[in-house]
Structure formats: C-alpha cells, structure tokens
Amino acid sequence: MSTENFQVAIVGAGPAGLLLAIRLHQAEVSFSIFEGRTREQLLQQQGRSLDLHPRSGLAALDACGLKSAVFAHARQEANGVTVTDKRLQSWFSYPGGSRNPHVDREDLIQLLVDAVPAENFRWNHKLERVDQDNSLLFRDGSRSEPFSFVVGADGAWSRVRAALSPRLPEYTGIAGQTFVVTNRSALDSPILRNMPRTGSVFSFSDKKAFIVHYMSKDRASVTLFQTDYKPPDRGAEIDPVDEIKRTRRLYEDWDVQFVRLLEHVDPASMESWQLHMMPLDFDWPVNPCCIVIGDAASLRSPFGGEGVNLALQDAFELSGTLITAAKAPANKRQQILEQEVSKFQRTMLDRGHLAQKLAKDMQAAMMDSSTAPRGTVADWVMQRARYEFSFKSKWWRMMLPILDIGVHAYYAGVRLLR
Ligand SMILES: Cc1cc2nc3c(=O)[nH]c(=O)nc-3n(C[C@H](O)[C@H](O)[C@H](O)COP(=O)(O)OP(=O)(O)OC[C@H]3O[C@@H](n4cnc5c(N)ncnc54)[C@H](O)[C@@H]3O)c2cc1C
C-alpha cells in the first residue's frame, strides 16, 4: 500500500522525536523532523546519565533493533543508587544489577541521530506555531507545506502543545544546575569512592539536593537543586563562575567533600534548570491530525527518574498508530486516526499521570521536608514500590501493606540506633 500521500511532521529531535523518526523510516512512512537547534548544538549537549528501563525505554529501543548499540555504550555495572544526608550518612542503598543499563544522553542521542537518514532532518528550524491547515510556521518567518499529521516531541515548552491546549507547565519551586566533572582525581572524592559499585549518589538535606551520577569516559555529573532560590528569568544570561560561587556557599555546612567536588566542576558545562510540571489532570480534546508526546505531554520533575523511558515508549506506541494509518487506503485513514489516536492518547496520559504523581511524591518526600532523608526515607521507598507494583499482578499488590509496615518498622529501628 502506498504511503506517499501521508506526510508526518515531527517537531523536536530529543529521544521521543528521534525514536519515532526511526520507526517511521523503518516502515517507509514519509516524514520530516524539525529541530530548533543545529546538529552540532544537539550533539554537543552533555551532562546526564540516563537509566533505561526494560519494560519501557529499553523495550522501545530493542523493537527498533538498537538494543545492542545501546549496550555498547551502556554501563551495566553502574546502576546502583545510594541516598545520603549532608553528613554522607547512607539511608538507602541499592547495589543495582545488569537489567537497567545507564547510558549518557549524548551517546543515546548520537546513536538515534545516526539511525535517521540525514535528508529527513530540518536543523535550525524553531517552530513558532502549528496553523489550522497543519502547516508549520517557524521563528524565522518561513512556513512548511501542510502535513497529514503533526507530532510535537518538542519537550517542556512545546509549541505544538499550544495548538491543542492553552495549558502550560507549572513551576515546582525547585531550581538548579548540572555540571560535569572531568578531573579524574576528583572522582576519588569520598562521595563516590566509598560506594564503588554505585551509579548515582543522591544527597538530600535542608530542602536541597546534591546528586552525582557516574558517566562514561571517567566523568561524573553533579546536579544541584534548591527550593529556596529565585532563579533568573528563563533565557537570562547566567555567569557559571558566579553560579558556582553562589552554590558553594549554599553547601558550606554540608560535609566538606561536597564543596570539594564543586571545586572540580567544569563551568563551561553548566546547564540551568527551573523544574516545571504539567498539571496532573492535563488532557486535551482528541485531534486526529496532531498530538504531543514525551515531556511535551506529561512533563514532570526528574525525581521519579522515568522521563526518557516514557518519551521512548510514547514514541514507539504512536509509531504503530501512524504506520497503520499510513498503510491504510486513503478513504479509511481519517476513521482509523480518530479511533487510534484517541486510544493512544488515553493510554499515554494515564501512564504519564502515574509517573507525574510518582515524581511529585518523591520530590515532596526529599525536597519539601526539613527532616529528609532521616524522617522521610521510608515514605520515599514506598512511593517507588507502589509505582513498581502497579505494573504487577494483583497478588503482588496485595503484598504492599505488609511491605509498607516492614519498611517503616525497619527505618524506625535504624533511627533509634543512630
Ligand atoms: C535536570 C534533569 C535531569 C533529568 N534526569 C533524568 C534521568 O536521570 N532519567 C530520565 O529518565 N529522565 C531524566 N530527565 C528527563 C528527561 O531528560 C526527559 O524526560 C526526556 O529528555 C524527554 O524527552 P523528549 O524527547 O520528550 O524531550 P526533550 O529531550 O526535551 O527534546 C525536545 C527536543 O525538541 C527541541 N525543541 C524544543 N522546542 C522546539 C521548537 N519550538 N522547535 C523545534 N524544536 C524544538 C529541543 O531542542 C529538543 O531537542 C531529566 C530532566 C532534567 C531537567
């Protein structure tokens, strides 16, 4: 069946947009992918290690035939998690296994970009709006032809979303920065050295976070989040050196190792964050010619750690709908799209709302309470357990109250002993 008169526009070359592009390419569906940045800018961005989950993100990559390429870059031994307080006292430790590979964002983006034919990319095309006829208007004033279907994979501040709903992300009150540490001797910091098999160290106290992730090539990323900081306006110039000085003062009464590690961050690698979330009840009337996926649909703060996995899963599932529509006779397409887009949207948003709630609750446990992590770690563990058990059978879910009692009793005991 010819798919030539079915043209898809994908806006955004993040994980969601790129995975969708790969699937459409494999199924020989016509598409263009519009990215606001240049190819070089997209590939240069570094500074985050992503944890790929077998039931969602990794499954989507596997279905595209990319699992072995991902594993070639992944650090399978480095996926443990430790939670400490500001004195480096450990409150939770999970050694990790080999099922959830960790991959640097830059490596994931590179291998996804390489799997999409170069002629399908429209680099440096920043979308301004989607018009009624499904044509795209760009910031530079240029305009595309109308498309059969427009997919917004354009992240937190999606412009495609504005064609579906006036709702915007809400500020969580938490802001921060990510830096990369490239100095090998700095990686001997006791924050990391005492936990040799650990991929990530999450330290929380005083409504602040200090998060260290191992990365490939002898690097680590340091992400700092604060609740008591009014960040500069979005897009405002921030001097990284001043920012490092300011944040060092914020962590001065923490264990000295935190400030020491900050001395080794690369100022040029700084990325600033103001964490926003879409409202938990975000939805929009189904549009059979346009949809948003990934962060554009269900933006959440990173405290639940599901972001890239949901983005990849959304893209994979939407590709099935678009491939079916593209291969159907032209007179059946509208009906197929109306039914299938509606079903997909419901599944995606239900899944997204669950992950948003997880992020909100885990964030509240560690960032809203002045007793964290000591007083809140049991709740934090149970929030994750409840989320994971929601994918299991009802027999597993019946175990939750028992687990809840056990976890709270364990931490009550630990608190008594310390
Ligand atoms: C500090 C921080 C830490 C995180 N840590 C993790 C983690 O450990 N694990 C995890 O799973 N997730 C994490 N996330 C979340 C994860 O990065 C996102 O959920 C994921 O990248 C979403 O993918 P996406 O493709 O939907 O959007 P994005 O990755 O945001 O990609 C959107 C793309 O669209 C482009 N774009 C934007 N606007 C336009 C426009 N108008 N026109 C054209 N192009 C446009 C952008 O340039 C970008 O390339 C973290 C997020 C933050 C902020």
Side-chain angles (χ1 to χ4, degrees):
M1 187 69 62
S2 165
T3 65
E4 263 170 31
N5 54 358
F6 187 77
Q7 305 275 343
V8 179
I10 303 170
V11 183
L18 289 167
L19 190 113
L20 179 61
I22 293 167
R23 289 282 296 164
L24 296 184
H25 167 59
Q26 289 171 340
E28 298 179 0
V29 175
S30 303
F31 71 94
S32 299
I33 176 163
F34 297 90
E35 165 57 43
R37 289 179 281 182
T38 64
R39 187 176 194 276
E40 293 66 36
Q41 284 167 338
L42 185 83
L43 295 176
Q44 263 165 19
Q45 194 192 28
Q46 51 169 356
R48 254 182 288 159
S49 172
L50 300 168
D51 172 11
L52 298 171
H53 300 168
R55 73 162 172 263
S56 48
L58 195 57
L61 290 160
D62 192 15
C64 295
L66 292 171
K67 190 170 168 182
S68 52
V70 169
F71 271 80
H73 291 285
R75 295 176 306 291
Q76 291 162 62
E77 79 288 358
N79 58 6
V81 172
T82 298
V83 175
T84 82
D85 59 21
K86 65 179 180 180
R87 304 274 164 249
L88 274 178
Q89 179 152 58
S90 173
W91 287 92
F92 175 84
S93 198
Y94 170 68
S98 59
R99 291 184 69 238
N100 290 18
H102 272 219
V103 65
D104 293 348
R105 183 177 164 109
E106 67 210 62
D107 290 335
L108 179 66
I109 294 290
Q110 178 79 62
L111 77 88
L112 294 175
V113 166
D114 288 347
V116 179
E119 63 269 22
N120 290 75
F121 282 106
R122 305 286 177 272
W123 298 107
N124 213 3
H125 275 67
K126 194 138 184 97
L127 182 79
E128 183 60 33
R129 64 165 195 261
V130 182
D131 277 333
Q132 287 253 314
D133 64 352
N134 251 13
S135 64
L136 308 180
L137 178 69
F138 297 97
R139 283 268 165 91
D140 63 4
S142 62
R143 182 185 289 281
S144 75
E145 291 298 305
F147 281 89
S148 318
F149 200 96
V150 176
V151 181
D154 47 346
W157 297 98
S158 170
R159 301 297 303 168
V160 177
R161 190 174 53 219
L164 300 167
S165 164
R167 297 186 82 177
L168 288 171
E170 293 166 356
Y171 183 42
T172 60
I174 298 176
Q177 313 77 15
T178 296
F179 298 95
V180 177
V181 181
T182 49
N183 181 328
R184 284 182 77 147
S185 63
L187 298 183
D188 286 337
S189 160
I191 299 176
L192 295 164
R193 199 183 49 208
N194 291 350
M195 302 148 192
R197 291 196 61 230
T198 299
S200 309
V201 183
F202 292 81
S203 303
F204 299 103
S205 281
D206 313 331
K207 303 188 179 182
K208 291 190 278 248
F210 193 113
I211 301 166
V212 187
H213 291 297
Y214 275 118
M215 295 172 66
S216 62
K217 303 171 202 135
D218 287 327
R219 297 168 306 159
S221 68
V222 173
T223 300
L224 311 164
F225 287 126
Q226 302 106 38
T227 46
D228 53 357
Y229 168 48
K230 163 108 181 50
D233 292 337
R234 275 180 65 230
E237 284 282 311
I238 308 172
D239 180 344
V241 177
D242 288 348
E243 203 53 9
I244 294 168
K245 279 192 206 140
R246 185 189 68 79
T247 43
R248 277 181 57 177
R249 284 196 295 275
L250 290 174
Y251 292 88
E252 254 164 11
D253 68 333
W254 286 40
D255 189 286
V256 67
Q257 299 304 335
F258 291 102
V259 173
R260 280 204 191 134
L261 194 55
L262 278 181
E263 282 163 10
H264 295 286
V265 299
D266 172 10
S269 66
M270 184 177 90
E271 275 194 86
S272 294
W273 310 108
Q274 291 176 32
L275 300 183
H276 286 73
M277 278 179 74
M278 286 308 289
L280 280 180
D281 61 349
F282 178 53
D283 202 347
W284 61 89
V286 174
N287 180 332
C289 307
C290 181
I291 199 162
V292 287
I293 59 173
D295 274 10
S298 55
L299 179 69
R300 69 218 76 78
S301 69
F303 290 91
E306 289 289 315
V308 75
N309 292 288
L310 293 195
L312 294 169
Q313 189 175 9
D314 290 353
F316 176 70
E317 289 179 8
L318 178 63
S319 71
T321 298
L322 296 182
I323 293 165
T324 308
K327 295 199 185 284
N331 63 351
K332 293 261 164 40
R333 266 187 203 139
Q334 181 70 8
Q335 192 193 355
I336 290 174
L337 284 171
E338 273 166 19
Q339 284 170 359
E340 297 303 313
V341 171
S342 167
K343 266 194 251 164
F344 165 75
Q345 184 171 320
R346 193 65 273 133
T347 309
M348 171 179 71
L349 286 179
D350 287 350
R351 177 170 64 222
H353 291 158
L354 205 62
Q356 284 177 297
K357 186 168 176 335
L358 172 75
K360 197 169 187 221
D361 290 346
M362 291 184 87
Q363 173 191 308
M366 289 304 178
M367 297 297 286
D368 291 358
S369 165
S370 49
T371 65
R374 182 186 174 93
T376 57
V377 64
D379 291 338
W380 182 86
V381 169
M382 283 312 299
Q383 280 148 6
R384 183 89 227 174
R386 252 177 243 118
Y387 178 78
E388 293 300 332
F389 277 43
S390 70
F391 298 99
K392 295 188 184 287
S393 70
K394 73 171 184 191
W395 302 110
W396 279 95
R397 291 201 295 277
M398 281 165 64
M399 305 289 284
L400 268 172
I402 301 165
L403 185 65
D404 197 10
I405 292 168
V407 167
H408 279 88
Y410 169 77
Y411 278 109
V414 171
R415 280 196 300 271
L416 269 181
L417 292 173
R418 286 182 178 172

